[in-house]
PDB file of all heavy atoms in Angstrom:
ATOM      1  N   LYS A 233     -40.353 -46.392  27.107  1.00 95.00           N
ATOM      2  CA  LYS A 233     -41.701 -46.965  27.065  1.00 95.00           C
ATOM      3  C   LYS A 233     -42.416 -46.728  25.739  1.00 95.00           C
ATOM      4  O   LYS A 233     -43.581 -47.090  25.573  1.00 95.00           O
ATOM      5  CB  LYS A 233     -42.540 -46.412  28.235  1.00 95.00           C
ATOM      6  CG  LYS A 233     -42.015 -46.898  29.577  1.00 95.00           C
ATOM      7  CD  LYS A 233     -42.874 -46.454  30.737  1.00 95.00           C
ATOM      8  CE  LYS A 233     -42.264 -46.951  32.054  1.00 95.00           C
ATOM      9  NZ  LYS A 233     -43.012 -46.475  33.223  1.00 95.00           N
ATOM     10  N   LYS A 234     -41.707 -46.114  24.787  1.00 96.00           N
ATOM     11  CA  LYS A 234     -42.309 -45.888  23.466  1.00 96.00           C
ATOM     12  C   LYS A 234     -42.452 -47.203  22.712  1.00 96.00           C
ATOM     13  O   LYS A 234     -41.515 -48.009  22.672  1.00 96.00           O
ATOM     14  CB  LYS A 234     -41.391 -44.987  22.631  1.00 96.00           C
ATOM     15  CG  LYS A 234     -41.415 -43.535  23.012  1.00 96.00           C
ATOM     16  CD  LYS A 234     -40.579 -42.734  21.998  1.00 96.00           C
ATOM     17  CE  LYS A 234     -40.517 -41.276  22.405  1.00 96.00           C
ATOM     18  NZ  LYS A 234     -39.458 -40.563  21.667  1.00 96.00           N
ATOM     19  N   PRO A 235     -43.593 -47.412  22.065  1.00 97.00           N
ATOM     20  CA  PRO A 235     -43.697 -48.611  21.216  1.00 97.00           C
ATOM     21  C   PRO A 235     -42.880 -48.417  19.935  1.00 97.00           C
ATOM     22  O   PRO A 235     -42.596 -47.291  19.547  1.00 97.00           O
ATOM     23  CB  PRO A 235     -45.196 -48.685  20.882  1.00 97.00           C
ATOM     24  CG  PRO A 235     -45.705 -47.294  21.077  1.00 97.00           C
ATOM     25  CD  PRO A 235     -44.807 -46.610  22.072  1.00 97.00           C
ATOM     26  N   TRP A 236     -42.481 -49.538  19.331  1.00 97.00           N
ATOM     27  CA  TRP A 236     -41.726 -49.436  18.078  1.00 97.00           C
ATOM     28  C   TRP A 236     -42.214 -50.494  17.086  1.00 97.00           C
ATOM     29  O   TRP A 236     -42.866 -51.461  17.470  1.00 97.00           O
ATOM     30  CB  TRP A 236     -40.229 -49.584  18.331  1.00 97.00           C
ATOM     31  CG  TRP A 236     -39.801 -50.967  18.751  1.00 97.00           C
ATOM     32  CD1 TRP A 236     -39.525 -52.022  17.934  1.00 97.00           C
ATOM     33  CD2 TRP A 236     -39.593 -51.449  20.087  1.00 97.00           C
ATOM     34  NE1 TRP A 236     -39.164 -53.123  18.673  1.00 97.00           N
ATOM     35  CE2 TRP A 236     -39.186 -52.808  19.996  1.00 97.00           C
ATOM     36  CE3 TRP A 236     -39.698 -50.868  21.366  1.00 97.00           C
ATOM     37  CZ2 TRP A 236     -38.907 -53.581  21.128  1.00 97.00           C
ATOM     38  CZ3 TRP A 236     -39.410 -51.657  22.466  1.00 97.00           C
ATOM     39  CH2 TRP A 236     -39.020 -52.985  22.345  1.00 97.00           C
ATOM     40  N   THR A 237     -41.891 -50.266  15.816  1.00 98.00           N
ATOM     41  CA  THR A 237     -42.281 -51.198  14.756  1.00 98.00           C
ATOM     42  C   THR A 237     -41.086 -52.081  14.379  1.00 98.00           C
ATOM     43  O   THR A 237     -39.946 -51.784  14.738  1.00 98.00           O
ATOM     44  CB  THR A 237     -42.724 -50.435  13.497  1.00 98.00           C
ATOM     45  OG1 THR A 237     -41.581 -49.736  12.975  1.00 98.00           O
ATOM     46  CG2 THR A 237     -43.837 -49.442  13.800  1.00 98.00           C
ATOM     47  N   GLU A 238     -41.369 -53.135  13.637  1.00 98.00           N
ATOM     48  CA  GLU A 238     -40.330 -54.012  13.098  1.00 98.00           C
ATOM     49  C   GLU A 238     -39.301 -53.214  12.302  1.00 98.00           C
ATOM     50  O   GLU A 238     -38.104 -53.452  12.361  1.00 98.00           O
ATOM     51  CB  GLU A 238     -40.955 -55.046  12.143  1.00 98.00           C
ATOM     52  CG  GLU A 238     -41.486 -56.289  12.807  1.00 98.00           C
ATOM     53  CD  GLU A 238     -40.375 -57.138  13.412  1.00 98.00           C
ATOM     54  OE1 GLU A 238     -39.411 -57.461  12.679  1.00 98.00           O
ATOM     55  OE2 GLU A 238     -40.473 -57.468  14.607  1.00 98.00           O
ATOM     56  N   GLU A 239     -39.824 -52.283  11.500  1.00 98.00           N
ATOM     57  CA  GLU A 239     -38.948 -51.462  10.661  1.00 98.00           C
ATOM     58  C   GLU A 239     -37.989 -50.619  11.489  1.00 98.00           C
ATOM     59  O   GLU A 239     -36.835 -50.439  11.134  1.00 98.00           O
ATOM     60  CB  GLU A 239     -39.807 -50.504   9.836  1.00 98.00           C
ATOM     61  CG  GLU A 239     -39.973 -50.917   8.398  1.00 98.00           C
ATOM     62  CD  GLU A 239     -40.688 -49.829   7.624  1.00 98.00           C
ATOM     63  OE1 GLU A 239     -41.529 -49.114   8.228  1.00 98.00           O
ATOM     64  OE2 GLU A 239     -40.397 -49.702   6.421  1.00 98.00           O
ATOM     65  N   GLU A 240     -38.526 -50.061  12.590  1.00 98.00           N
ATOM     66  CA  GLU A 240     -37.688 -49.249  13.467  1.00 98.00           C
ATOM     67  C   GLU A 240     -36.628 -50.110  14.146  1.00 98.00           C
ATOM     68  O   GLU A 240     -35.476 -49.710  14.297  1.00 98.00           O
ATOM     69  CB  GLU A 240     -38.563 -48.496  14.480  1.00 98.00           C
ATOM     70  CG  GLU A 240     -39.319 -47.348  13.806  1.00 98.00           C
ATOM     71  CD  GLU A 240     -40.597 -46.916  14.516  1.00 98.00           C
ATOM     72  OE1 GLU A 240     -41.100 -47.659  15.395  1.00 98.00           O
ATOM     73  OE2 GLU A 240     -41.111 -45.842  14.181  1.00 98.00           O
ATOM     74  N   LYS A 241     -37.019 -51.321  14.519  1.00 98.00           N
ATOM     75  CA  LYS A 241     -36.048 -52.244  15.124  1.00 98.00           C
ATOM     76  C   LYS A 241     -34.963 -52.599  14.107  1.00 98.00           C
ATOM     77  O   LYS A 241     -33.776 -52.639  14.443  1.00 98.00           O
ATOM     78  CB  LYS A 241     -36.761 -53.516  15.612  1.00 98.00           C
ATOM     79  CG  LYS A 241     -35.872 -54.491  16.376  1.00 98.00           C
ATOM     80  CD  LYS A 241     -35.434 -53.960  17.743  1.00 98.00           C
ATOM     81  CE  LYS A 241     -34.405 -54.862  18.417  1.00 98.00           C
ATOM     82  NZ  LYS A 241     -33.865 -54.269  19.662  1.00 98.00           N
ATOM     83  N   GLN A 242     -35.371 -52.838  12.862  1.00 98.00           N
ATOM     84  CA  GLN A 242     -34.405 -53.180  11.821  1.00 98.00           C
ATOM     85  C   GLN A 242     -33.398 -52.044  11.605  1.00 98.00           C
ATOM     86  O   GLN A 242     -32.209 -52.284  11.413  1.00 98.00           O
ATOM     87  CB  GLN A 242     -35.124 -53.534  10.511  1.00 98.00           C
ATOM     88  CG  GLN A 242     -34.213 -53.877   9.334  1.00 98.00           C
ATOM     89  CD  GLN A 242     -33.288 -55.079   9.562  1.00 98.00           C
ATOM     90  OE1 GLN A 242     -33.519 -55.912  10.425  1.00 98.00           O
ATOM     91  NE2 GLN A 242     -32.198 -55.142   8.785  1.00 98.00           N
ATOM     92  N   LYS A 243     -33.874 -50.812  11.694  1.00 98.00           N
ATOM     93  CA  LYS A 243     -32.965 -49.657  11.571  1.00 98.00           C
ATOM     94  C   LYS A 243     -31.917 -49.673  12.684  1.00 98.00           C
ATOM     95  O   LYS A 243     -30.755 -49.350  12.473  1.00 98.00           O
ATOM     96  CB  LYS A 243     -33.753 -48.342  11.641  1.00 98.00           C
ATOM     97  CG  LYS A 243     -34.351 -47.956  10.309  1.00 98.00           C
ATOM     98  CD  LYS A 243     -34.502 -46.447  10.195  1.00 98.00           C
ATOM     99  CE  LYS A 243     -34.928 -46.088   8.780  1.00 98.00           C
ATOM    100  NZ  LYS A 243     -35.290 -44.674   8.623  1.00 98.00           N
ATOM    101  N   GLN A 244     -32.372 -50.064  13.875  1.00 98.00           N
ATOM    102  CA  GLN A 244     -31.434 -50.157  14.998  1.00 98.00           C
ATOM    103  C   GLN A 244     -30.384 -51.238  14.723  1.00 98.00           C
ATOM    104  O   GLN A 244     -29.194 -51.046  14.999  1.00 98.00           O
ATOM    105  CB  GLN A 244     -32.211 -50.483  16.283  1.00 98.00           C
ATOM    106  CG  GLN A 244     -31.341 -50.509  17.525  1.00 98.00           C
ATOM    107  CD  GLN A 244     -32.053 -51.178  18.696  1.00 98.00           C
ATOM    108  OE1 GLN A 244     -32.676 -52.235  18.544  1.00 98.00           O
ATOM    109  NE2 GLN A 244     -31.978 -50.564  19.858  1.00 98.00           N
ATOM    110  N   LEU A 245     -30.819 -52.374  14.162  1.00 98.00           N
ATOM    111  CA  LEU A 245     -29.875 -53.464  13.885  1.00 98.00           C
ATOM    112  C   LEU A 245     -28.837 -53.048  12.839  1.00 98.00           C
ATOM    113  O   LEU A 245     -27.681 -53.467  12.900  1.00 98.00           O
ATOM    114  CB  LEU A 245     -30.614 -54.731  13.434  1.00 98.00           C
ATOM    115  CG  LEU A 245     -31.633 -55.315  14.422  1.00 98.00           C
ATOM    116  CD1 LEU A 245     -32.156 -56.662  13.902  1.00 98.00           C
ATOM    117  CD2 LEU A 245     -31.042 -55.492  15.818  1.00 98.00           C
ATOM    118  N   LEU A 246     -29.252 -52.226  11.876  1.00 98.00           N
ATOM    119  CA  LEU A 246     -28.316 -51.721  10.868  1.00 98.00           C
ATOM    120  C   LEU A 246     -27.329 -50.734  11.489  1.00 98.00           C
ATOM    121  O   LEU A 246     -26.143 -50.734  11.170  1.00 98.00           O
ATOM    122  CB  LEU A 246     -29.073 -51.044   9.720  1.00 98.00           C
ATOM    123  CG  LEU A 246     -29.940 -51.961   8.852  1.00 98.00           C
ATOM    124  CD1 LEU A 246     -30.812 -51.140   7.906  1.00 98.00           C
ATOM    125  CD2 LEU A 246     -29.088 -52.951   8.055  1.00 98.00           C
ATOM    126  N   LYS A 247     -27.833 -49.894  12.385  1.00 98.00           N
ATOM    127  CA  LYS A 247     -26.966 -48.935  13.080  1.00 98.00           C
ATOM    128  C   LYS A 247     -25.942 -49.690  13.939  1.00 98.00           C
ATOM    129  O   LYS A 247     -24.776 -49.315  14.014  1.00 98.00           O
ATOM    130  CB  LYS A 247     -27.829 -48.010  13.951  1.00 98.00           C
ATOM    131  CG  LYS A 247     -27.086 -46.848  14.576  1.00 98.00           C
ATOM    132  CD  LYS A 247     -26.734 -45.784  13.567  1.00 98.00           C
ATOM    133  CE  LYS A 247     -25.971 -44.621  14.189  1.00 98.00           C
ATOM    134  NZ  LYS A 247     -25.364 -43.750  13.172  1.00 98.00           N
ATOM    135  N   ARG A 248     -26.409 -50.772  14.563  1.00 98.00           N
ATOM    136  CA  ARG A 248     -25.496 -51.576  15.378  1.00 98.00           C
ATOM    137  C   ARG A 248     -24.408 -52.236  14.527  1.00 98.00           C
ATOM    138  O   ARG A 248     -23.292 -52.457  14.998  1.00 98.00           O
ATOM    139  CB  ARG A 248     -26.271 -52.661  16.112  1.00 98.00           C
ATOM    140  CG  ARG A 248     -27.094 -52.158  17.283  1.00 98.00           C
ATOM    141  CD  ARG A 248     -27.804 -53.343  17.875  1.00 98.00           C
ATOM    142  NE  ARG A 248     -28.626 -53.030  19.035  1.00 98.00           N
ATOM    143  CZ  ARG A 248     -29.438 -53.917  19.593  1.00 98.00           C
ATOM    144  NH1 ARG A 248     -29.521 -55.153  19.097  1.00 98.00           N
ATOM    145  NH2 ARG A 248     -30.158 -53.583  20.643  1.00 98.00           N
ATOM    146  N   ALA A 249     -24.740 -52.580  13.279  1.00 98.00           N
ATOM    147  CA  ALA A 249     -23.726 -53.177  12.394  1.00 98.00           C
ATOM    148  C   ALA A 249     -22.581 -52.182  12.177  1.00 98.00           C
ATOM    149  O   ALA A 249     -21.413 -52.554  12.126  1.00 98.00           O
ATOM    150  CB  ALA A 249     -24.351 -53.587  11.066  1.00 98.00           C
ATOM    151  N   ARG A 250     -22.928 -50.897  12.062  1.00 98.00           N
ATOM    152  CA  ARG A 250     -21.894 -49.867  11.933  1.00 98.00           C
ATOM    153  C   ARG A 250     -21.024 -49.821  13.195  1.00 98.00           C
ATOM    154  O   ARG A 250     -19.828 -49.565  13.131  1.00 98.00           O
ATOM    155  CB  ARG A 250     -22.528 -48.490  11.742  1.00 98.00           C
ATOM    156  CG  ARG A 250     -23.440 -48.375  10.561  1.00 98.00           C
ATOM    157  CD  ARG A 250     -22.645 -48.462   9.283  1.00 98.00           C
ATOM    158  NE  ARG A 250     -23.238 -47.708   8.211  1.00 98.00           N
ATOM    159  CZ  ARG A 250     -23.983 -48.227   7.232  1.00 98.00           C
ATOM    160  NH1 ARG A 250     -24.195 -49.521   7.193  1.00 98.00           N
ATOM    161  NH2 ARG A 250     -24.475 -47.450   6.290  1.00 98.00           N
ATOM    162  N   TYR A 251     -21.665 -50.035  14.332  1.00 97.00           N
ATOM    163  CA  TYR A 251     -20.948 -50.059  15.609  1.00 97.00           C
ATOM    164  C   TYR A 251     -19.913 -51.182  15.598  1.00 97.00           C
ATOM    165  O   TYR A 251     -18.762 -51.000  15.992  1.00 97.00           O
ATOM    166  CB  TYR A 251     -21.959 -50.304  16.740  1.00 97.00           C
ATOM    167  CG  TYR A 251     -21.621 -49.628  18.049  1.00 97.00           C
ATOM    168  CD1 TYR A 251     -22.055 -48.339  18.299  1.00 97.00           C
ATOM    169  CD2 TYR A 251     -20.894 -50.281  19.037  1.00 97.00           C
ATOM    170  CE1 TYR A 251     -21.774 -47.718  19.511  1.00 97.00           C
ATOM    171  CE2 TYR A 251     -20.598 -49.669  20.239  1.00 97.00           C
ATOM    172  CZ  TYR A 251     -21.038 -48.386  20.473  1.00 97.00           C
ATOM    173  OH  TYR A 251     -20.748 -47.761  21.658  1.00 97.00           O
ATOM    174  N   VAL A 252     -20.338 -52.351  15.106  1.00 98.00           N
ATOM    175  CA  VAL A 252     -19.422 -53.494  14.986  1.00 98.00           C
ATOM    176  C   VAL A 252     -18.270 -53.136  14.046  1.00 98.00           C
ATOM    177  O   VAL A 252     -17.102 -53.392  14.352  1.00 98.00           O
ATOM    178  CB  VAL A 252     -20.165 -54.740  14.456  1.00 98.00           C
ATOM    179  CG1 VAL A 252     -19.179 -55.875  14.196  1.00 98.00           C
ATOM    180  CG2 VAL A 252     -21.250 -55.187  15.429  1.00 98.00           C
ATOM    181  N   GLU A 253     -18.613 -52.535  12.906  1.00 97.00           N
ATOM    182  CA  GLU A 253     -17.564 -52.167  11.951  1.00 97.00           C
ATOM    183  C   GLU A 253     -16.551 -51.243  12.617  1.00 97.00           C
ATOM    184  O   GLU A 253     -15.340 -51.437  12.488  1.00 97.00           O
ATOM    185  CB  GLU A 253     -18.171 -51.476  10.716  1.00 97.00           C
ATOM    186  CG  GLU A 253     -18.967 -52.432   9.841  1.00 97.00           C
ATOM    187  CD  GLU A 253     -19.653 -51.740   8.664  1.00 97.00           C
ATOM    188  OE1 GLU A 253     -19.267 -50.593   8.304  1.00 97.00           O
ATOM    189  OE2 GLU A 253     -20.579 -52.336   8.091  1.00 97.00           O
ATOM    190  N   PHE A 254     -17.034 -50.231  13.335  1.00 97.00           N
ATOM    191  CA  PHE A 254     -16.098 -49.322  13.985  1.00 97.00           C
ATOM    192  C   PHE A 254     -15.205 -50.068  14.971  1.00 97.00           C
ATOM    193  O   PHE A 254     -13.986 -49.935  14.946  1.00 97.00           O
ATOM    194  CB  PHE A 254     -16.811 -48.168  14.714  1.00 97.00           C
ATOM    195  CG  PHE A 254     -15.811 -47.256  15.372  1.00 97.00           C
ATOM    196  CD1 PHE A 254     -15.197 -46.246  14.637  1.00 97.00           C
ATOM    197  CD2 PHE A 254     -15.424 -47.469  16.685  1.00 97.00           C
ATOM    198  CE1 PHE A 254     -14.217 -45.458  15.213  1.00 97.00           C
ATOM    199  CE2 PHE A 254     -14.441 -46.676  17.273  1.00 97.00           C
ATOM    200  CZ  PHE A 254     -13.838 -45.666  16.530  1.00 97.00           C
ATOM    201  N   ASN A 255     -15.826 -50.858  15.842  1.00 96.00           N
ATOM    202  CA  ASN A 255     -15.050 -51.481  16.911  1.00 96.00           C
ATOM    203  C   ASN A 255     -14.010 -52.465  16.376  1.00 96.00           C
ATOM    204  O   ASN A 255     -12.889 -52.524  16.877  1.00 96.00           O
ATOM    205  CB  ASN A 255     -15.968 -52.188  17.910  1.00 96.00           C
ATOM    206  CG  ASN A 255     -16.646 -51.179  18.832  1.00 96.00           C
ATOM    207  OD1 ASN A 255     -16.735 -49.997  18.513  1.00 96.00           O
ATOM    208  ND2 ASN A 255     -17.120 -51.641  19.975  1.00 96.00           N
ATOM    209  N   LEU A 256     -14.371 -53.229  15.348  1.00 95.00           N
ATOM    210  CA  LEU A 256     -13.428 -54.229  14.854  1.00 95.00           C
ATOM    211  C   LEU A 256     -12.422 -53.657  13.857  1.00 95.00           C
ATOM    212  O   LEU A 256     -11.292 -54.127  13.777  1.00 95.00           O
ATOM    213  CB  LEU A 256     -14.179 -55.416  14.235  1.00 95.00           C
ATOM    214  CG  LEU A 256     -15.085 -56.194  15.208  1.00 95.00           C
ATOM    215  CD1 LEU A 256     -15.738 -57.371  14.501  1.00 95.00           C
ATOM    216  CD2 LEU A 256     -14.303 -56.700  16.426  1.00 95.00           C
ATOM    217  N   LEU A 257     -12.834 -52.642  13.099  1.00 93.00           N
ATOM    218  CA  LEU A 257     -11.908 -52.091  12.100  1.00 93.00           C
ATOM    219  C   LEU A 257     -11.003 -51.005  12.668  1.00 93.00           C
ATOM    220  O   LEU A 257      -9.854 -50.898  12.264  1.00 93.00           O
ATOM    221  CB  LEU A 257     -12.682 -51.489  10.917  1.00 93.00           C
ATOM    222  CG  LEU A 257     -13.346 -52.455   9.939  1.00 93.00           C
ATOM    223  CD1 LEU A 257     -14.258 -51.691   8.980  1.00 93.00           C
ATOM    224  CD2 LEU A 257     -12.302 -53.239   9.152  1.00 93.00           C
ATOM    225  N   TYR A 258     -11.528 -50.181  13.584  1.00 93.00           N
ATOM    226  CA  TYR A 258     -10.793 -48.966  13.941  1.00 93.00           C
ATOM    227  C   TYR A 258     -10.472 -48.797  15.409  1.00 93.00           C
ATOM    228  O   TYR A 258      -9.514 -48.127  15.749  1.00 93.00           O
ATOM    229  CB  TYR A 258     -11.568 -47.725  13.458  1.00 93.00           C
ATOM    230  CG  TYR A 258     -11.885 -47.751  11.997  1.00 93.00           C
ATOM    231  CD1 TYR A 258     -13.195 -47.857  11.541  1.00 93.00           C
ATOM    232  CD2 TYR A 258     -10.862 -47.706  11.048  1.00 93.00           C
ATOM    233  CE1 TYR A 258     -13.487 -47.898  10.180  1.00 93.00           C
ATOM    234  CE2 TYR A 258     -11.143 -47.753   9.692  1.00 93.00           C
ATOM    235  CZ  TYR A 258     -12.454 -47.852   9.258  1.00 93.00           C
ATOM    236  OH  TYR A 258     -12.734 -47.897   7.928  1.00 93.00           O
ATOM    237  N   ASP A 259     -11.307 -49.332  16.304  1.00 93.00           N
ATOM    238  CA  ASP A 259     -11.118 -48.994  17.711  1.00 93.00           C
ATOM    239  C   ASP A 259      -9.757 -49.484  18.218  1.00 93.00           C
ATOM    240  O   ASP A 259      -9.457 -50.675  18.179  1.00 93.00           O
ATOM    241  CB  ASP A 259     -12.233 -49.587  18.568  1.00 93.00           C
ATOM    242  CG  ASP A 259     -12.143 -49.098  19.999  1.00 93.00           C
ATOM    243  OD1 ASP A 259     -12.160 -47.872  20.211  1.00 93.00           O
ATOM    244  OD2 ASP A 259     -12.003 -49.939  20.915  1.00 93.00           O
ATOM    245  N   ARG A 260      -8.976 -48.545  18.690  1.00 86.00           N
ATOM    246  CA  ARG A 260      -7.616 -48.883  19.126  1.00 86.00           C
ATOM    247  C   ARG A 260      -7.634 -49.812  20.316  1.00 86.00           C
ATOM    248  O   ARG A 260      -6.831 -50.726  20.430  1.00 86.00           O
ATOM    249  CB  ARG A 260      -6.845 -47.610  19.475  1.00 86.00           C
ATOM    250  CG  ARG A 260      -6.499 -46.784  18.241  1.00 86.00           C
ATOM    251  CD  ARG A 260      -5.549 -45.668  18.587  1.00 86.00           C
ATOM    252  NE  ARG A 260      -6.147 -44.786  19.599  1.00 86.00           N
ATOM    253  CZ  ARG A 260      -6.055 -43.469  19.595  1.00 86.00           C
ATOM    254  NH1 ARG A 260      -5.372 -42.860  18.631  1.00 86.00           N
ATOM    255  NH2 ARG A 260      -6.598 -42.746  20.536  1.00 86.00           N
ATOM    256  N   GLY A 261      -8.557 -49.563  21.255  1.00 84.00           N
ATOM    257  CA  GLY A 261      -8.647 -50.390  22.457  1.00 84.00           C
ATOM    258  C   GLY A 261      -8.940 -51.842  22.103  1.00 84.00           C
ATOM    259  O   GLY A 261      -8.312 -52.760  22.633  1.00 84.00           O
ATOM    260  N   THR A 262      -9.886 -52.040  21.201  1.00 88.00           N
ATOM    261  CA  THR A 262     -10.268 -53.392  20.809  1.00 88.00           C
ATOM    262  C   THR A 262      -9.111 -54.100  20.123  1.00 88.00           C
ATOM    263  O   THR A 262      -8.727 -55.210  20.503  1.00 88.00           O
ATOM    264  CB  THR A 262     -11.474 -53.343  19.838  1.00 88.00           C
ATOM    265  OG1 THR A 262     -12.541 -52.658  20.484  1.00 88.00           O
ATOM    266  CG2 THR A 262     -11.926 -54.739  19.441  1.00 88.00           C
ATOM    267  N   ARG A 263      -8.524 -53.454  19.143  1.00 79.00           N
ATOM    268  CA  ARG A 263      -7.438 -54.086  18.398  1.00 79.00           C
ATOM    269  C   ARG A 263      -6.235 -54.318  19.298  1.00 79.00           C
ATOM    270  O   ARG A 263      -5.584 -55.357  19.241  1.00 79.00           O
ATOM    271  CB  ARG A 263      -7.069 -53.260  17.168  1.00 79.00           C
ATOM    272  CG  ARG A 263      -8.214 -53.184  16.148  1.00 79.00           C
ATOM    273  CD  ARG A 263      -7.796 -52.552  14.839  1.00 79.00           C
ATOM    274  NE  ARG A 263      -6.872 -53.371  14.090  1.00 79.00           N
ATOM    275  CZ  ARG A 263      -7.225 -54.397  13.315  1.00 79.00           C
ATOM    276  NH1 ARG A 263      -8.486 -54.711  13.168  1.00 79.00           N
ATOM    277  NH2 ARG A 263      -6.324 -55.091  12.689  1.00 79.00           N
ATOM    278  N   PHE A 264      -5.955 -53.333  20.154  1.00 73.00           N
ATOM    279  CA  PHE A 264      -4.824 -53.469  21.063  1.00 73.00           C
ATOM    280  C   PHE A 264      -5.048 -54.639  22.021  1.00 73.00           C
ATOM    281  O   PHE A 264      -4.175 -55.478  22.210  1.00 73.00           O
ATOM    282  CB  PHE A 264      -4.641 -52.169  21.857  1.00 73.00           C
ATOM    283  CG  PHE A 264      -3.474 -52.222  22.785  1.00 73.00           C
ATOM    284  CD1 PHE A 264      -2.206 -51.914  22.327  1.00 73.00           C
ATOM    285  CD2 PHE A 264      -3.642 -52.614  24.112  1.00 73.00           C
ATOM    286  CE1 PHE A 264      -1.118 -51.991  23.182  1.00 73.00           C
ATOM    287  CE2 PHE A 264      -2.570 -52.692  24.964  1.00 73.00           C
ATOM    288  CZ  PHE A 264      -1.294 -52.379  24.501  1.00 73.00           C
ATOM    289  N   GLY A 265      -6.235 -54.686  22.600  1.00 79.00           N
ATOM    290  CA  GLY A 265      -6.548 -55.747  23.557  1.00 79.00           C
ATOM    291  C   GLY A 265      -6.426 -57.127  22.920  1.00 79.00           C
ATOM    292  O   GLY A 265      -5.820 -58.035  23.492  1.00 79.00           O
TER     293      GLY A 265
END
Side-chain angles (χ1 to χ4, degrees):
Chain A
K233 293 184 181 176
K234 284 186 183 165
W236 69 84
T237 66
E238 274 293 307
E239 257 187 329
E240 287 156 345
K241 185 69 187 173
Q242 179 60 20
K243 277 208 172 172
Q244 184 195 45
L245 301 187
L246 293 170
K247 188 73 181 167
R248 286 179 179 172
R250 302 291 210 260
Y251 213 89
V252 174
E253 290 176 18
F254 180 84
N255 283 20
L256 298 182
L257 287 170
Y258 305 113
D259 187 57
R260 289 190 301 221
T262 303
R263 296 189 68 82
F264 182 85

